[in-house]
Amino acid sequence: MDESVILHAERSFLVCRKPVGVECEHELPALLAEEVKCKVDSLYCVHRLDRAVGGVMVWARTPKAAAELSRQVQEKALKKAYFAVCSGIPTPDTGEMRDLLFKDSVKQKSFAVSSFRRGVKEALLDYRVLQTAALNGSPAALVRVTLHTGRFHQIRCQFATRGHPLLGDGKYGSRVKGAIALQSCGLQFVHPDTGRIMNFTLPLPDTAPWNLFAE
């Protein structure tokens, strides 16, 4: 891969831009290890992105940093934000989505359900509509999402449940062809060594359907 995937590197961690189509378990660590000239087994995954989703991630480079960053994930001190383009325009233009989600491991899909049972977990996010546009005569919205929980396909399922599937997400009802319009655009965490707040952001991709919207 010609373009660097490393956004920031220190002794105990690195921040990268995961390309769309690259999976987190084997492919991404190999890319990172090649670029920073380290062994793959010296990189520790503390959170994940779906293969179909790109964006900013942090990886630990020491066991101590892995433990600290994993603690932040568990205690929701590591904060994640996403850009998404959905069909239609959510109303209100700023709000909260709270659902009970069931992960069907056979279908590899999440479903919103009405009550708790085995395998059901609460999902919570905040969203804000940033811009609207028309795609092939139909309305679409660019939204910024802040996750408060990290459930399987959470954003994809919660928006689709409300009739606003993400563009390109055929699994959840989109009729638009192409890559899923979801990007991890922001990451905030506490430096595992110094305690300093670290913030990293990515701009909108320059490909469709993102290029319908101004930066």
Side-chain angles (χ1 to χ4, degrees):
M1 185 169 294
D2 295 334
E3 186 179 355
S4 172
V5 296
I6 304 296
L7 301 176
H8 180 86
E10 297 194 19
R11 181 192 63 82
S12 61
F13 70 93
L14 61 82
V15 178
C16 72
R17 175 193 54 80
K18 185 186 95 64
V20 172
V22 173
E23 60 86 28
C24 286
E25 188 172 353
H26 302 292
E27 296 174 0
L28 183 57
L31 285 177
L32 300 177
E34 181 179 3
E35 190 164 333
V36 298
K37 307 304 181 189
C38 70
K39 294 181 178 179
V40 170
D41 60 8
S42 69
L43 297 171
Y44 302 84
C45 184
V46 296
H47 67 116
R48 288 175 170 80
L49 288 176
D50 295 342
R51 177 191 284 272
V53 177
V56 62
M57 296 184 70
V58 60
W59 285 70
R61 301 182 70 181
T62 66
K64 180 181 176 182
E68 169 57 21
L69 291 170
S70 295
R71 181 194 65 78
Q72 292 182 39
V73 171
Q74 292 299 316
E75 297 180 3
K76 300 179 174 59
L78 186 146
K79 302 182 186 304
K80 294 178 278 187
Y82 292 77
F83 286 136
V85 181
C86 66
S87 299
I89 302 172
T91 55
D93 58 9
T94 300
E96 174 187 279
M97 293 183 183
R98 186 186 296 268
D99 293 286
L100 299 178
L101 297 188
F102 171 73
K103 176 186 175 182
D104 186 322
S105 297
V106 175
K107 295 182 178 178
Q108 285 294 291
K109 186 175 179 180
S110 284
F111 296 88
V113 297
S114 58
S115 59
F116 277 107
R117 63 176 188 269
R118 185 173 181 178
V120 172
K121 295 181 179 180
E122 186 175 52
L124 175 63
L125 62 78
D126 293 329
Y127 73 90
R128 178 164 54 95
V129 176
L130 301 178
Q131 297 180 50
T132 60
L135 179 65
N136 299 326
S138 298
L142 172 67
V143 296
R144 182 179 172 91
V145 177
T146 302
L147 277 184
H148 298 292
T149 55
R151 308 308 179 204
F152 181 74
H153 289 180
Q154 178 177 337
I155 298 172
R156 298 164 63 182
C157 179
Q158 289 194 275
F159 275 83
T161 295
R162 290 161 175 80
H164 300 294
L166 305 190
L167 299 190
D169 195 358
K171 175 169 278 197
Y172 287 92
S174 175
R175 297 180 181 179
V176 177
K177 303 295 184 183
I180 299 171
L182 181 63
Q183 176 188 253
S184 171
C185 67
L187 194 63
Q188 178 181 292
F189 57 92
V190 178
H191 194 296
D193 301 321
T194 68
R196 185 161 57 96
I197 299 297
M198 308 295 290
N199 277 292
F200 297 91
T201 60
L202 288 177
L204 290 178
D206 58 6
T207 55
W210 306 99
N211 55 11
L212 291 170
F213 306 95
E215 184 64 46

